[in-house]
Amino acid sequence: MNNLKLSLLLVSLLMPVVSLAEAAVESVEFTSTPAPETDAERTSFYTRSSAIVTYRDGTKKVFPLTYRALYRSSDKIGHWQAGAIVDKDGKLIQRTAANAEGEVAQGPFFSYAPDANSLLGTKKGKYTAYLMTHYEYNTEAPNVDAGKPAVQLYAQLPAAINQATVVQDKKTGLLKVVDLANVDASASGGIWTPCAGSMTPWGTHLGGEEYEPNAKEFENEPLQTMNLYTGTLDKTAQSGGSNPYAYGYKFEVSIDDKGHSHFVKHYAMGRLANELGDVMPDKRTVYMGDDGRDTVMFMFVADKAGQLTAGNLYAAIWMEVSTVNGGKAGLRWIPLGHAGEDEVHKLIQGGIRFSDIFEVASPGDVKANPAKFGDFKPVFVYAGTGKEVAHLEYLKLKPGMAKAAAFLESRRYAALLGATSEFTKMEGVTHNARDKRLYVAMSYVEKSMVDKLNEDRPRDDINLEGDPKDMACGAVYEANLKGGERDLDGNRIDSDWVAGSIQALVTGAKKPFGQQYGELDKCDTDRIANPDNLKYSESLHTLFIGEDSGNHLNNFVWAYDVSQKQAKPVRIFSAPIGAEDTGLQVVDDWNGHFYLMGNIQHPGATDDLKQYPVAIKDVLGKKVDQRGVVGYLSGLPTIK
């Protein structure tokens, strides 16, 4: 390309684009970004996609997309560094507690794992907004002892949320971060591993604490991760340390007129492995991804619109209709109870323990003495972060503890009442308001969801058939939302946005024989693998899908036109090896511009590359800039 053509191209990309709000648009489609084929492509991020807008008169216009980084982990903007991990006083944490292997890592720490984004305050005619970004965890850190391998730091440090002040260029629409601050969560005891998030219909950020601490285990052991935050190292909850029941909730961040953030946890929405909560257009009904294996699908219906402080919590039963092509089922909802967050918080402040809520028996106890343990019920659920993994245990609810169980041990209690507890890696959740559809990512469809792999789980509601290698690549499900539904007790659910049926919409598949690129991928490089982040654009009728896959060497972002029911999604972005695509948020219209917010989490992460050959994990991986990236895809004007 000669210099004149290059100059003209740059000018055209930077010229202000005209909003298509008044244009007669027939459709919008995306061209595909090719998968990486060179080492340079594998270690970088890029998009080569365009949006093709077709007008009703038959003409077309092409809009090239561009990924733009706003900042990276540890970047200093204003007076703050991105992803800085601090204690309750806002001071940098300088050292971890020892992990199970006795390893200690030296700080200060700057998380490489940016996750959820919510760009708040994007009003017409306003050119400053605020971007909320979670940091899920610090991926790894050098060992204190020089020469030793890096220490893996998952769930060993408290987490952080950054508030970035974002300015939009009036002419080009390009975004720039001009200031950065830490969101203060000290009034709630800090934040435990926040994962994905969403923006509420009333313009606040709704996040969630994932993989809640297993309160059964941490009843007698110190929760050192949060003790680092509260300054109570080595203390159990009973001796003044952090209480595991203080973590595992949805939280909301709002911005006042002066640009100050306000953080609150919503204890009445239940305690689970929160991927995120997605609020329906009624401003009351919320669906929640419960990540992990052997988990439950939850729904919360608030008492009042726009207030998540009190309401009813429900858990789903999968009523199987079809077992092929990812499956299809009806959904019934079990009422778990009603609570206001103040009464749940009061239980936590009172020092409630797991042993106050349940009696526990092992399968051996029940088998040896059925007369004594006959009224204990079997459950097999993900128990939360700790040494234990999901396993069969027998529980008996103690008298007067139904409300505590429902809102502090939501998954265990739901399983006790008969909810389906076989979902595997239930992650992103988003909705389509026009068609009243809910989309749910099941990142890995495996084990308890697969026919004949239920093992000793007491429930067997889900029995999907097919090649396990195909199902391990995951699926996105679509649920129909409607009113007039009744819960399992026969009472009407007070919502017109209740999921009554669900079926697989998009599925991954194992790598086909003879595919000429993506040699190290286990799943088809041209199809989704292990979907995680989901966000839907009402203006484009498009579902955006971000991957968190160990079956694609490079993780991708995909676009799927739900109105066309296209055969498969279109790849529109490629992340570096070892990275996850996180932080998706659709901004349909900010002064005539469309943005797809999106982050690159833990690029080059050693743990994510451990299954690959030495030439990948130890050579190519070290060429990746391992700082997380907060950014966005731009280039498309607003379309209405």
Side-chain angles (χ1 to χ4, degrees):
M1 181 181 291
N2 62 42
N3 290 338
L4 177 60
K5 288 183 177 179
L6 178 59
S7 298
L8 290 173
L9 175 60
L10 290 173
V11 169
S12 69
L13 289 175
L14 292 175
M15 284 178 63
V17 293
V18 178
S19 170
L20 301 183
E22 304 302 324
V25 175
E26 181 68 27
S27 65
V28 179
E29 61 182 304
F30 292 90
T31 64
S32 180
T33 289
E37 295 190 60
T38 67
D39 285 352
E41 291 174 334
R42 294 184 184 103
T43 55
S44 62
F45 54 82
Y46 63 90
T47 179
R48 294 181 191 141
S49 293
S50 294
I52 303 175
V53 179
T54 301
Y55 302 91
R56 289 178 189 151
D57 63 4
T59 60
K60 296 177 183 286
K61 188 171 182 180
V62 178
F63 295 90
L65 301 183
T66 303
Y67 182 80
R68 302 184 186 278
L70 290 170
Y71 62 88
R72 284 182 175 268
S73 301
S74 77
D75 281 355
K76 188 174 183 180
I77 304 173
H79 298 291
W80 199 251
Q81 283 183 272
I85 304 300
V86 300
D87 62 18
K88 63 182 177 60
D89 298 317
K91 296 179 180 179
L92 293 171
I93 291 176
Q94 299 292 342
R95 194 177 177 91
T96 67
N99 62 14
E101 288 73 37
E103 299 171 310
V104 173
Q106 189 72 44
F109 303 99
F110 302 94
S111 175
Y112 293 173
D115 207 302
N117 288 319
S118 287
L119 188 61
L120 308 179
T122 54
K123 297 178 181 178
K124 186 176 181 180
K126 182 179 179 181
Y127 295 94
T128 300
Y130 298 99
L131 179 64
M132 295 296 167
T133 302
H134 300 161
Y135 291 83
E136 186 174 2
Y137 49 81
N138 192 311
T139 309
E140 57 190 36
N143 197 287
V144 173
D145 298 321
K148 289 190 175 182
V151 179
Q152 300 301 314
L153 291 178
Y154 183 83
Q156 283 186 253
L157 287 166
I161 305 175
N162 284 168
Q163 173 187 331
T165 302
V166 179
V167 176
Q168 182 190 49
D169 188 283
K170 293 181 181 181
K171 293 183 178 181
T172 66
L174 298 183
L175 307 181
K176 181 180 180 181
V177 173
V178 296
D179 196 15
L180 199 66
N182 181 59
V183 173
D184 182 9
S186 59
S188 298
I191 311 166
W192 172 276
T193 58
C195 196
S198 64
M199 192 170 78
T200 66
W202 51 93
T204 60
H205 172 72
L206 185 64
E209 298 175 298
E210 192 179 42
Y211 302 138
E212 77 281 17
N214 184 354
K216 178 184 173 185
E217 177 178 321
F218 289 107
E219 179 168 328
N220 298 308
E221 292 187 20
L223 184 59
Q224 298 286 46
T225 298
M226 299 315 301
N227 284 344
L228 284 168
Y229 183 84
T230 58
T232 56
L233 202 63
D234 297 326
K235 292 185 178 182
T236 65
Q238 281 65 53
S239 62
S242 298
N243 187 337
Y245 281 130
Y247 309 99
Y249 302 97
K250 302 292 180 298
F251 57 81
E252 188 173 6
V253 186
S254 58
I255 298 289
D256 64 24
D257 292 339
K258 296 181 179 180
H260 299 146
S261 61
H262 301 273
F263 176 97
V264 293
K265 287 189 183 180
H266 289 311
Y267 303 102
M269 298 182 74
R271 181 172 175 269
L272 51 142
N274 288 290
E275 179 74 15
L276 82 163
D278 185 49
V279 185
M280 299 302 101
D282 65 351
K283 301 182 181 181
R284 296 176 58 238
T285 308
V286 186
Y287 289 92
M288 299 173 272
D290 187 20
D291 201 354
R293 290 170 174 85
D294 301 287
T295 62
V296 174
M297 181 179 291
F298 291 98
M299 175 180 67
F300 177 77
V301 181
D303 293 346
K304 297 180 181 179
Q307 298 181 30
L308 303 178
T309 56
N312 289 284
L313 186 63
Y314 298 87
I317 305 176
W318 173 281
M319 313 289 287
E320 199 150 70
V321 174
S322 173
T323 62
V324 298
N325 299 321
K328 181 178 182 179
L331 293 175
R332 294 295 306 276
W333 294 94
I334 298 174
L336 302 184
H338 177 279
E341 61 185 35
D342 287 345
E343 56 187 319
V344 180
H345 193 215
K346 186 177 179 179
L347 291 171
I348 299 168
Q349 290 179 312
I352 193 169
R353 302 169 299 171
F354 178 88
S355 60
D356 295 327
I357 303 172
F358 293 118
E359 291 183 56
V360 183
S362 70
D365 292 334
V366 176
K367 184 176 181 180
N369 196 341
K372 180 179 178 180
F373 297 105
D375 55 350
F376 283 67
K377 293 184 179 180
V379 299
F380 194 115
V381 294
Y382 172 68
T385 295
K387 298 173 185 175
E388 295 180 352
V389 295
H391 66 285
L392 183 65
E393 61 184 359
Y394 285 77
L395 300 177
K396 180 181 177 181
L397 186 68
K398 290 190 173 182
M401 285 293 162
K403 183 163 290 190
F407 295 93
L408 299 179
E409 289 287 347
S410 304
R411 191 183 310 104
R412 282 183 168 110
Y413 187 60
L416 270 182
L417 296 186
T420 298
S421 54
E422 302 160 52
F423 295 103
T424 57
K425 299 298 291 177
M426 180 167 46
E427 307 216 27
V429 180
T430 192
H431 69 276
N432 168 352
R434 185 189 68 173
D435 302 321
K436 297 193 78 167
R437 297 288 187 269
L438 181 76
Y439 305 107
V440 182
M442 217 70 67
S443 189
Y444 287 77
V445 177
E446 57 186 0
K447 295 184 179 180
S448 54
M449 293 186 72
V450 180
D451 188 37
K452 298 182 177 62
L453 294 183
N454 208 50
E455 299 172 337
D456 59 351
R457 295 168 176 85
R459 294 194 67 84
D460 195 10
D461 297 337
I462 309 176
N463 297 276
L464 302 183
E465 298 179 279
D467 188 333
K469 292 183 179 179
D470 286 331
M471 289 189 277
C473 298
V476 176
Y477 287 80
E478 178 185 63
N480 299 318
L481 304 173
K482 58 183 179 178
E485 291 288 282
R486 294 186 178 274
D487 65 29
L488 203 65
D489 290 346
N491 298 313
R492 185 185 180 279
I493 300 174
D494 187 19
S495 170
D496 291 328
W497 297 84
V498 179
S501 63
I502 189 169
Q503 63 183 4
L505 176 68
V506 182
T507 60
K510 65 184 178 184
K511 190 173 181 64
F513 178 78
Q515 193 170 65
Q516 297 302 308
Y517 49 92
E519 297 88 349
L520 295 173
D521 289 347
K522 293 181 180 178
C523 293
D524 189 339
T525 308
D526 289 331
R527 294 176 64 170
I528 64 166
N530 312 115
D532 186 327
N533 256 229
L534 299 180
K535 283 295 180 291
Y536 180 75
S537 167
E538 295 285 349
S539 67
L540 302 182
H541 312 305
T542 296
L543 178 66
F544 293 100
I545 305 169
E547 295 182 340
D548 178 12
S549 178
N551 293 310
H552 279 169
L553 176 60
N554 291 84
N555 281 196
F556 307 122
V557 175
W558 306 80
Y560 181 75
D561 184 345
V562 301
S563 64
Q564 300 296 320
K565 296 289 185 181
Q566 61 198 77
K568 58 184 180 179
V570 176
R571 181 174 45 240
I572 62 170
F573 178 75
S574 179
I577 60 173
E580 174 186 346
D581 292 301
T582 61
L584 296 184
Q585 183 206 4
V586 170
V587 181
D588 278 307
D589 182 8
W590 186 15
N591 293 324
H593 297 271
F594 176 99
Y595 303 94
L596 179 64
M597 310 305 296
N599 300 338
I600 300 168
Q601 188 180 90
H602 54 66
T606 302
D607 196 53
D608 287 64
L609 296 174
K610 63 185 178 183
Q611 66 175 327
Y612 290 99
V614 171
I616 296 293
K617 65 181 180 181
D618 291 340
V619 179
L620 198 59
K622 292 180 179 178
K623 296 182 179 180
V624 178
D625 186 336
Q626 294 197 342
R627 296 176 298 158
V629 181
V630 175
Y632 65 100
L633 277 170
S634 69
L636 185 64
T638 293
I639 293 177
K640 293 184 180 178

